[in-house]
């Protein structure tokens, strides 16, 4: 027991000296703080973190509300977003905002209207007209991107006043239109007049992949023509439907900054008057991505982009991706591609054999396969040692084995291979051993997408909606597709995913197989079928990617 002597008082207690205060989040510089907030957003934790205190709420606001989506706004008489959020918005997207179109369509579906009035009241979308949209957009000092998305496959477009309101934002950098037509009709006496436009770097005007309703494109062409005349020096990404593209303007202007050009749709060389097409891309020296998905009008043959008898000096030293539909063996462009090319796609558009009416624009289009010998001639004309993705479509002939051997030896860095192989009608079994032996040198291959076109494949739609139909297709997958997937899994040591295209009840689907390797290397790898099958062409709006 400790006894305390009162004559000897204990020394005074000494508390430890206070340490330096721990710096709070508010003392971090703006870059570090934004990085931490972005990490919280990626983990879905930013919103609860912003509710901790008022100061943190203010710091989180520019990231919480930098991207806003407005769905099915019935009218923009009053802008649907609170005015307190406008200073933080950088990216704004409008989805299916037309009340007028939905009312007319529902009336037609219910029988109250004998037809949807096209062109008429529903051709121009008037939801976005008025001062509310222009006032709101001009009051967003951080706004950089505007997207208008209309998912219905119909003739419906934004008006010139709406486009003018969007282009009144001086700091705007990206404009995206998906599904909407771009000023499909001008009012009586109206004209496209642009006094000032922002320095856009991206203009994406994307229409449904399979446009079913032809119409008068003169107003759209005139609008796009005026836009490109003002934007050609700053644009870095340009995506247009072929039908609305002003080809004379593409040929006559310089494009010093353009890095990506994608054109998709029906290219009628007889109407365009600009064949060969090479002149349209002659003034784009910094091009990195060139995608030409041209549908072939019925009765026309594919034409070369660069005819053999045309002698000009033209190079794209930075080109990394090229997509050409209906390639021609005599096309000179393949001999002038740089060795830096990494992605190459040479297919039909749409794919051969999938000629349902909705794919072929009601009979306005047709497909034209090239034989394996012509595909071999194309690939032999260039030197592409850096190629990592290849997509081809061909019909088998005497040169198929030589074509596949060339692919296996000429492209050692290939990681993704997509082949649409179409057999001759009189020939039967798939030469699986030849295909595997020819492509076996591809030691880096990770993903294979293959259309085997088996002679005994059941016809799509033959047994639609019936239980025997599902049984037949499931039996075909197990007995015919699974052995192909097993053989591919044992061919390449690096393979991870195998996708085989085959008919289904009502459409073609990708049957996806994941390659599983056991720890014991002596055992052969096996494949596991992923139950979700995706259709490669069923979506109306493609992502415009190569693979």
């Amino acid at each position: 027991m400790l006894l305390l002597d009162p004559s000897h008082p204990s020394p005074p207690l000494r508390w430890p000296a206070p340490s330096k205060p721990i710096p709070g989040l508010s003392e971090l510089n703006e870059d570090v703080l934004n990085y931490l907030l972005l990490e919280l957003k990626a983990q879905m934790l930013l919103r609860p973190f912003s509710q901790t205190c008022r100061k943190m709420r203010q710091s989180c606001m520019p990231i919480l509300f930098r991207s806003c989506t407005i769905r099915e706004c019935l009218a923009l008489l009053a802008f649907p977003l609170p005015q307190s959020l406008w200073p933080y918005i950088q990216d704004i997207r409008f989805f299916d905002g037309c009340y007028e179109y939905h009312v007319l369509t529902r009336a037609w579906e219910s029988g109250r209207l004998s037809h949807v009035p096209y062109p008429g009241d529903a051709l121009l979308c008037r939801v976005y007209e008025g001062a509310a949209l222009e006032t709101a957009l001009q009051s967003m000092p951080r706004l950089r991107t505007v997207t208008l998305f209309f998912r219905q496959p119909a003739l419906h477009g934004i008006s010139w006043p709406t486009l003018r309101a969007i282009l009144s934002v001086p700091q705007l950098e990206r404009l995206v239109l998906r599904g909407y037509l771009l000023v499909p009709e001008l009012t009586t006496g109206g004209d496209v007049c642009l006094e000032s436009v922002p320095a856009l770097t991206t203009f994406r005007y994307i229409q449904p992949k399979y446009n079913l309703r032809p119409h008068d494109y003169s107003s759209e062409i005139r609008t796009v023509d005026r836009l490109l005349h003002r934007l050609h020096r700053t644009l870095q990404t340009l995506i247009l439907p072929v039908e609305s593209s002003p080809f004379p303007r593409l040929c006559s202007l310089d494009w010093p900054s353009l890095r990506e050009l994608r054109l998709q749709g029906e290219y009628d060389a007889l109407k365009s008057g600009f064949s060969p097409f090479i002149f349209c891309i002659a003034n784009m020296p910094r091009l990195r991505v060139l995608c030409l998905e041209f549908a072939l009008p019925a009765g026309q043959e594919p034409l070369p982009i660069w005819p053999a008898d045309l002698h000009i000096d033209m190079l794209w030293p930075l080109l990394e991706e090229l997509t050409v539909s209906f390639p021609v063996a005599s096309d000179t462009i393949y001999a002038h591609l740089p060795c830096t090319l990494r992605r190459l796609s040479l297919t039909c558009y749409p794919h051969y054999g999938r000629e349902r009416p909705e794919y072929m624009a009601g009979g306005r289009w047709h497909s034209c396969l090239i034989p394996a010998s012509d595909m071999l001639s194309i690939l032999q004309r260039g030197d592409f040692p850096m190629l990592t993705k290849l997509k081809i479509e061909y019909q088998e002939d005497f040169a198929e084995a030589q074509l596949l051997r060339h692919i296996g030896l000429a492209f050692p860095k290939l990681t993704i291979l997509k082949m649409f192989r179409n057999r001759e009608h009189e020939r039967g079994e798939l030469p699986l051993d030849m295909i595997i032996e020819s492509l076996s040198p591809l030691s880096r291959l990770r993903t294979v997408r293959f259309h085997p076109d088996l002679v005994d494949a059941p016809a799509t739609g033959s047994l639609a909606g019936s239980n025997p139909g599902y049984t037949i297709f499931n039996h075909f997958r197990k007995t015919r597709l699974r052995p192909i997937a097993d053989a591919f899994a044992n061919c390449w040591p690096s393979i991870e995913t195998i996708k085989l295209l085959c008919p289904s009840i009502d459409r073609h689907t990708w049957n996806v197989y994941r390659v599983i390797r056991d720890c014991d290397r002596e055992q052969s790898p096996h494949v596991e079928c992923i139950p979700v099958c995706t259709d490669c062409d069923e979506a109306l709006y493609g992502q415009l990617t190569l693979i």
Side-chain angles (χ1 to χ4, degrees):
M1 182 176 180
L2 180 62
L3 298 177
L4 298 178
D5 187 356
S7 61
H8 299 281
S10 59
L13 295 177
R14 294 182 179 180
W15 298 100
S19 59
K20 294 182 180 180
I22 300 175
L25 290 176
S26 59
E27 298 184 26
L28 297 175
N29 63 56
E30 186 177 356
D31 292 339
V32 176
L33 180 59
N34 287 338
Y35 177 80
L36 295 177
L37 296 180
L38 288 173
E39 288 295 320
L40 289 174
K41 183 180 181 181
Q43 301 296 327
M44 307 294 292
L45 298 174
L46 184 60
R47 187 175 296 275
F49 177 76
S50 68
Q51 298 172 355
T52 55
C53 67
R54 181 176 299 177
K55 194 169 186 178
M56 283 298 101
R57 178 72 173 178
Q58 290 299 322
S59 299
C60 294
M61 291 283 281
I63 297 179
L64 273 175
F65 301 103
R66 65 164 49 181
S67 180
C68 294
T69 299
I70 300 175
R71 298 181 182 274
E72 298 182 359
C73 56
L74 300 183
L76 287 181
L77 298 178
F79 201 75
L81 292 178
Q83 191 170 354
S84 59
L85 301 181
W86 294 0
Y88 308 110
I89 297 176
Q90 298 182 28
D91 178 3
I92 189 168
R93 298 183 293 269
F94 300 90
F95 278 74
D96 290 351
C98 186
Y99 172 77
E100 184 180 42
Y101 168 80
H102 290 292
V103 168
L104 290 173
T105 302
R106 289 169 185 168
W108 172 69
E109 291 175 348
S110 63
R112 286 179 290 163
L113 288 178
S114 59
H115 67 285
V116 177
Y118 295 119
D121 294 337
L123 181 61
L124 287 177
C125 181
R126 294 177 174 84
V127 168
Y128 301 106
E129 292 185 4
L133 177 65
E134 184 172 359
T135 301
L137 296 182
Q138 290 184 354
S139 302
M140 300 178 184
R142 301 189 182 189
L143 186 62
R144 295 295 183 271
T145 304
V146 174
T147 301
L148 279 74
F149 191 4
F150 188 69
R151 288 176 290 185
Q152 305 296 329
L155 294 181
H156 197 61
I158 65 171
S159 64
W160 170 241
T162 302
L163 179 61
R164 186 170 53 195
I166 296 173
L167 295 178
S168 66
V169 181
Q171 75 278 5
L172 192 67
E173 296 178 358
R174 292 170 291 273
L175 174 59
V176 181
L177 298 177
R178 294 178 66 92
Y180 280 108
L181 300 177
L182 181 63
V183 193
E185 185 179 71
L186 290 172
T187 58
T188 304
D191 196 8
V192 180
C193 180
L194 292 173
E195 297 179 357
S196 62
V197 295
L200 292 183
T201 60
T202 299
F203 178 43
R204 300 173 181 263
Y205 178 22
I206 304 171
Q207 283 294 293
K209 293 182 68 175
Y210 310 109
N211 191 355
L212 305 183
R213 299 182 177 183
H215 63 281
D216 183 12
Y217 298 96
S218 59
S219 177
E220 294 174 64
I221 294 175
R222 180 166 48 175
T223 304
V224 176
D225 181 271
R226 301 291 175 85
L227 283 176
L228 297 185
H229 179 67
R230 303 296 299 270
L231 301 173
H232 67 100
R233 295 192 178 278
T234 60
L235 278 178
Q236 299 179 15
T237 299
L238 177 60
I239 300 177
L240 293 174
V242 176
E243 296 87 349
S244 306
S245 300
F247 291 107
R249 185 67 71 181
L250 289 175
C251 296
S252 62
L253 294 175
D254 292 327
W255 305 86
S257 304
L258 195 65
R259 291 174 171 83
E260 179 179 354
L261 174 65
R262 297 182 184 270
L263 302 176
Q264 185 182 71
E266 179 180 338
Y267 178 65
D268 193 334
L270 300 179
K271 293 182 179 179
S272 66
F274 278 88
S275 180
F277 187 81
I278 189 65
F279 291 115
C280 292
I281 55 178
N283 300 323
M284 304 175 183
R286 304 188 66 182
L287 209 58
R288 292 180 179 270
V289 177
L290 176 59
C291 179
L292 306 177
E293 288 187 313
F294 294 162
L296 195 61
Q300 293 190 23
E301 295 297 324
L303 298 176
I305 299 173
W306 187 339
D309 57 353
L310 183 62
H311 302 285
I312 53 177
D313 294 329
M314 195 175 304
L315 293 173
W316 303 274
L318 305 177
L319 193 66
E320 297 180 357
E321 177 180 334
L322 175 65
T323 299
V324 177
S325 58
F326 304 108
V328 178
S330 61
D331 201 328
T332 310
I333 191 173
Y334 304 109
H336 291 81
L337 297 177
C339 61
T340 58
L341 195 70
R342 296 181 180 272
R343 297 174 294 276
L344 179 62
S345 175
L346 305 171
T347 66
C348 302
Y349 180 83
H351 290 299
Y352 184 83
R354 307 190 66 187
E355 300 175 358
R356 287 164 48 176
E358 59 266 37
Y359 290 135
M360 305 309 293
R364 299 200 318 272
W365 301 346
H366 75 107
S367 289
C368 181
L369 270 178
I370 71 170
S373 53
D374 285 356
M375 184 64 69
L376 174 63
S377 175
I378 291 174
L379 295 181
Q380 287 179 335
R381 302 194 71 177
D383 181 20
F384 317 125
M386 305 297 292
L387 201 67
T388 59
K389 297 182 181 181
L390 177 64
K391 179 179 177 183
I392 59 174
E393 185 169 9
Y394 65 90
Q395 185 175 37
E396 65 166 336
D397 65 1
F398 64 92
E400 182 183 19
Q402 188 178 356
L403 167 65
L404 299 183
R405 284 196 297 270
H406 177 77
I407 293 175
L409 297 175
F411 311 128
K413 296 187 177 182
L414 211 60
T415 59
I416 298 178
L417 176 62
K418 186 173 182 180
M419 294 197 310
F420 286 84
R421 178 187 183 272
N422 296 271
R423 58 179 172 81
E424 293 180 350
H425 295 293
E426 64 272 10
R427 300 196 52 181
E429 198 60 34
L430 176 73
L432 185 59
D433 294 338
M434 180 273 293
I435 294 175
I436 291 177
E437 180 183 358
S438 301
L439 298 176
S440 59
L442 299 175
S443 60
R444 301 187 182 186
L445 204 60
R446 297 198 309 266
T447 301
V448 171
R449 296 188 180 187
F450 182 58
H451 175 220
D453 193 22
L454 299 175
V455 66
D456 58 342
T460 300
S462 58
L463 297 171
S466 64
N467 289 330
Y470 289 100
T471 303
I472 291 174
F473 282 104
N474 289 333
H475 178 74
F476 174 77
R477 295 190 187 100
K478 293 179 180 179
T479 60
R480 299 291 283 140
L481 294 186
R482 181 60 179 265
I484 298 175
D486 287 331
F488 281 174
N490 287 277
C491 177
W492 301 285
S494 58
I495 196 70
E496 299 173 357
T497 305
I498 299 168
K499 301 182 181 182
L500 302 178
L501 186 66
C502 78
S504 183
I505 291 295
D506 57 348
R507 58 185 178 179
H508 283 72
T509 57
W510 287 108
N511 291 266
V512 184
Y513 299 87
R514 181 177 56 190
V515 179
I516 301 175
R517 289 180 171 82
D518 297 324
C519 296
D520 187 359
R521 295 186 178 182
E522 295 180 359
Q523 295 185 3
S524 300
H526 63 280
V527 296
E528 176 185 345
C529 183
I530 300 177
V532 178
C533 296
T534 56
D535 181 32
C536 65
D537 281 337
E538 201 59 26
L540 282 173
Y541 299 93
Q543 296 298 316
L544 295 175
T545 54
L546 172 65
I547 299 293

